[in-house]
Amino acid sequence: MADTGISTGQSAAAVRALSVTYRRGARLVHAARDVSIDIPRGRIVGLIGESGAGKSTVLRALLGLTKPTSGVVEIAGTDLSTVSAKAALALRNRIQVVMQNPYASLDPRWSVADSIAEPLRARSRQRGSEPMSKDDIARRVGEMLDRVRLPTSKLHSLPRELSGGERQRVAIARALSVRPAILVADEPVTALDNVTTAEILGLLEELHAEVGLAILIVSHSMSVIAQLADDVHVMQDGRVVESGSAESVLDHPQHPHTAMLIAASRYLDEWDGSGPELTTAAAR
Ligand SMILES: Nc1ncnc2c1ncn2[C@@H]1O[C@H](COP(=O)(O)OP(=O)(O)OP(=O)(O)O)[C@@H](O)[C@H]1O
Ligand SMILES: [Mg+2]
């Protein structure tokens, strides 16, 4: 993989003073307003907020899928608008994404092996990247399968032949195959049952600890955020209304909207604020 070698400071990625305005007919939708979020190297950052708050918009801007109306997207300390398209692509290559619905994000016609190999093949074809041989790719696919603890017997399975948790493991293996520095996860466990959720969260924690992966995770579940996140940002109506360590934000919310989100999450019985694995302190 081509490495740009740019490493200025401790930020893996960031949006600074990001605003995104969509036009819906004659109306303007201010989906992100002056949002600044830093994803420090090796940390897990949680992003919470009610539906429509602008969370996915921030993620899309970070991934280059939505153009900012104003503000800066930075990767490894470099403002992407200040570098060539080629350099911006090389920096974007550091970020990979896992979405809510692994069934939709995996091509139904592709086997597990092909799903995981595809980003490697695409990367290998990119100008300036080191080409990988078939054997290299097969080896990396095997490593990734091992890493997400899927048996090699699943290599030739199609998505429809896998459970939801297995599909999400394939999606994670696929995202990590190109060895990103940053993983962006938009509601990665929402579609999964409790046991599978615990397994996938455990896997993300392990990958974070083993390879120092920085993670930006969006979740409506406070227990997911409490278990994983070091830092938390709370969005409401396009704005970040509260930011801080997971402990301070979840245990002592300062903004009424944060308190409301926590109460709503408790009401849904996802997080009752008690029990050994449910407080942020005990989750570490
Ligand atoms: N392509 C688009 N065109 C117009 N409006 C959009 C577009 N994408 C998002 N929006 C609007 O921008 C706002 C923020 O949407 P966004 O998807 O970022 O919210 P979210 O916090 O991810 O919500 P959810 O939790 O439901 O996924 C919403 O009002 C949404 O309707
Ligand atoms: Mg969303």
Side-chain angles (χ1 to χ4, degrees), residues 104-185:
S105 63
L106 296 175
D107 190 312
R109 297 161 303 177
W110 285 2
S111 68
V112 167
D114 281 333
S115 283
I116 301 174
E118 193 271 338
L120 292 166
R121 293 188 187 125
R123 183 68 54 88
S124 184
R125 285 192 297 266
Q126 259 175 29
R127 261 201 307 153
S129 290
E130 241 172 77
M132 285 179 86
S133 70
K134 270 192 170 164
D135 284 354
D136 290 342
I137 290 177
R139 204 172 308 115
R140 183 78 66 84
V141 169
E143 275 169 34
M144 296 320 301
L145 216 59
D146 217 32
R147 179 138 255 170
V148 300
R149 277 191 241 99
L150 277 173
T152 42
S153 60
K154 301 278 182 196
L155 259 182
H156 302 292
S157 301
L158 293 171
R160 68 177 148 78
E161 298 165 333
L162 302 172
S163 72
E166 286 169 341
R167 278 180 219 142
Q168 201 55 305
R169 283 172 197 274
V170 175
I172 293 172
R174 175 180 157 82
L176 297 184
S177 68
V178 288
R179 298 188 173 148
I182 308 143
L183 184 72
V184 165

Side-chain angles (χ1 to χ4, degrees), residues 44-49 217 219-234 242-255 257-263 265-266 271-274 277-284:
I44 303 185
V45 177
L47 184 55
I48 61 176
I217 180 168
S219 180
H220 67 269
S221 161
M222 297 300 151
S223 61
V224 168
I225 296 295
Q227 184 181 334
L228 283 189
D230 299 304
D231 309 320
V232 175
H233 300 270
V234 185
E242 181 162 4
S243 298
S245 71
E247 283 92 340
S248 67
V249 172
L250 297 181
D251 296 344
H252 307 286
Q254 297 300 305
H255 194 280
H257 191 69
T258 314
M260 190 279 285
L261 289 171
I262 292 171
S265 180
R266 258 191 208 132
W271 186 50
D272 67 4
S274 66
E277 84 278 24
L278 295 173
T279 65
T280 51
R284 262 128 243 280

